[in-house]
Amino acid sequence: MQTMTYRIADILLDWYSREGRDLPWRRTRDPYRIWLSEVILQQTRVAQGTEYYLRFVGRFPDVRSLASASEDEVLKLWQGLGYYSRARNLHAAARQVVDDFGGRFPTTFAGVRSLRGVGDYTAAAVCSAAYSLPYAAVDGNVYRVLSRLFDIAEPIDTASGRRLFAELARSQLDERDPGRYNQAIMDFGALRCTPSPPRCGECPFGDRCLALAAGTVVSRPVKQGRTQLRDRWFHYLHITSGGRTLLCRRSGRDIWQGLYEFPLLETPEAADFGALLRMPRFAELLGDAPWRLLGSMPVARHQLSHQTIHAVFHRIETPSLTPAAEALAVPTGTLGDYAVPRLIDRYLMSCQR
DNA sequence: AACCCGGGGAT
DNA sequence: ATCCCAGGGTT
């Protein structure tokens, strides 16, 4: 008698054949669509990203159509998904494909990896799924699954930890079907080997999971982590004059780059309207015109992963615009054409009622 | 290496 | 409230 021992890959692939998900981007080998799905799903749940994927594929069926769009249109389609640099990089990468690769999506790891917004994970995911190239994709799911199966206490968010897990992931890859293997281990992490509570009772690995044997499942993976929140106080001036509204495009190295918002006065701490009156930007926008404050609406704190935004919207009507304000005025009816942060979108929704 | 970049869902 | 999500770029 001899007991069969299966490779981890075999167990994952067997589980995947029974319980894997049927997702739109798994029904194609088109590298463009696979890349698009991977960028959308960076730090984003499948449930949230799927409708954006379908929306993008519908509007931009190939890389050339995406490359020839305006950045504003891409951002508008991306509105609400967060991490907007992904959208800007997506657009830039599409232009790279047209300019540097003659419109044909790159077919090597180095080529895919050279695209804006494509790191080691995304390049591996695309190359394995589209071209069956033997690269192991290491995402949050893979860190969790491997750290548990091997009961690894090394933190995943250090350079040496990432190297360790990259090497381990490589050693487990099934080179006969790398794309399917990568999807299998990620689905397993997303559906069975979940953060908490993990479903160890119905796990195909049973006592082959070292963390289960050691009782350390819930504390894997280990992260150094250091999350420090920053508080910010935003005062938005919702200024209208006739049928026009003032709108600014965010720039610089800050949140929401490329998105639109009302003129913003930021203060280092909570401030009342009187404090705003003394700010130079206020006079620049409203000058001596007989403006009227129609009301102020504080917003429940808006929580980002690293910042807490305390926002107040000040509704102001003025009969005339200063030169500085004139440059920002857009017809009020076109507000819906601009990509705006969720915070602004919610405020606009509340105004329509 | 440390920090920055969103929004939503689950616990 | 806290954590996490098919991560990547910048400094």
Side-chain angles (χ1 to χ4, degrees):
Chain A
M1 286 293 284
Q2 176 179 343
T3 56
M4 292 289 292
T5 55
Y6 294 93
R7 297 187 314 159
I8 284 172
D10 293 330
I11 297 176
L12 287 170
L13 287 167
D14 177 63
W15 175 87
Y16 183 69
S17 69
R18 287 179 283 109
E19 302 196 34
R21 290 174 288 191
D22 179 20
L23 301 170
W25 46 92
R26 287 181 178 170
R27 292 175 164 267
T28 180
R29 299 293 297 261
D30 179 356
Y32 163 71
R33 295 191 178 205
I34 293 169
W35 161 69
L36 176 62
S37 75
E38 292 298 343
V39 174
I40 287 174
L41 292 172
Q42 287 167 4
Q43 294 293 287
T44 302
R45 292 172 186 280
V46 168
Q48 186 187 5
T50 299
E51 70 172 274
Y52 283 85
Y53 170 79
L54 296 174
R55 185 188 304 176
F56 268 83
V57 165
R59 172 62 185 85
F60 305 119
D62 53 56
V63 69
R64 286 186 186 277
S65 58
L66 176 58
S68 61
S70 71
E71 183 177 293
D72 273 3
E73 187 187 359
V74 175
L75 280 169
K76 180 60 184 177
L77 218 57
W78 197 274
Q79 177 178 305
L81 198 51
Y83 282 150
Y84 297 93
S85 66
R86 290 184 293 167
R88 297 193 304 273
N89 288 336
L90 184 83
H91 186 231
R95 298 197 161 175
Q96 272 181 275
V97 172
V98 170
D99 295 342
D100 302 345
F101 296 93
R104 268 188 53 86
F105 207 88
T107 56
T108 66
F109 183 89
V112 175
R113 180 67 175 77
S114 74
L115 300 175
R116 293 282 299 178
V118 174
D120 288 338
Y121 162 76
T122 302
V126 170
C127 289
S128 63
Y131 307 131
S132 297
L133 293 174
Y135 293 95
V138 185
D139 73 336
N141 292 307
V142 176
Y143 281 120
R144 191 168 53 253
V145 172
L146 294 180
S147 69
R148 287 174 174 172
L149 284 178
F150 295 91
D151 194 27
I152 295 172
E154 175 98 1
I156 62 173
D157 52 356
T158 64
S160 65
R162 279 190 291 271
R163 278 196 300 274
L164 175 74
F165 278 92
E167 181 53 41
L168 180 58
R170 207 158 26 237
S171 75
Q172 300 302 312
L173 179 70
D174 183 343
E175 302 202 357
R176 291 170 304 183
D177 196 343
R180 188 172 170 82
Y181 168 82
N182 281 332
Q183 288 162 1
I185 190 170
M186 287 191 284
D187 258 18
F188 186 72
L191 300 176
R192 288 285 171 258
C193 197
T194 50
S196 80
R199 307 182 182 185
C200 298
E202 46 191 312
C203 179
F205 290 99
D207 59 3
R208 284 194 56 182
C209 175
L210 298 184
L212 180 63
T216 55
V217 172
V218 294
S219 55
R220 299 283 179 269
V222 173
K223 288 188 182 179
Q224 283 196 161
R226 52 173 102 278
T227 47
Q228 50 188 19
L229 284 178
R230 178 160 68 113
D231 285 274
R232 300 177 73 176
W233 285 267
F234 284 7
H235 292 268
Y236 281 119
L237 304 182
H238 178 188
I239 301 170
T240 56
S241 181
R244 296 188 298 166
T245 302
L246 302 194
L247 213 56
C248 300
R249 191 176 201 261
R250 285 188 72 92
S251 60
R253 290 185 297 276
D254 201 349
I255 57 174
W256 302 329
Q257 189 183 130
L259 273 63
Y260 291 81
E261 63 185 0
F262 300 123
L264 170 64
L265 301 178
E266 181 173 0
T267 56
E269 52 191 64
D272 58 21
F273 193 76
L276 306 183
L277 288 174
R278 291 190 288 273
M279 297 175 72
R281 178 69 168 158
F282 191 95
E284 188 182 9
L285 289 167
L286 289 165
D288 300 324
W291 54 268
R292 289 189 304 143
L293 175 65
L294 302 180
S296 295
M297 180 191 295
V299 168
R301 52 178 54 183
H302 185 73
Q303 192 63 58
L304 308 183
S305 55
H306 45 288
Q307 296 182 18
T308 303
I309 309 295
H310 308 264
V312 186
F313 289 87
H314 301 285
R315 181 74 182 87
I316 294 170
E317 170 72 22
T318 181
S320 62
L321 295 177
T322 67
E326 191 66 39
L328 305 176
V330 306
T332 298
T334 66
L335 283 183
D337 297 340
Y338 296 88
V340 299
R342 288 289 290 160
L343 177 66
I344 303 287
D345 199 41
R346 278 201 255 266
Y347 169 77
L348 289 173
M349 295 294 192
S350 73
C351 287
Q352 287 178 357
R353 295 198 308 267

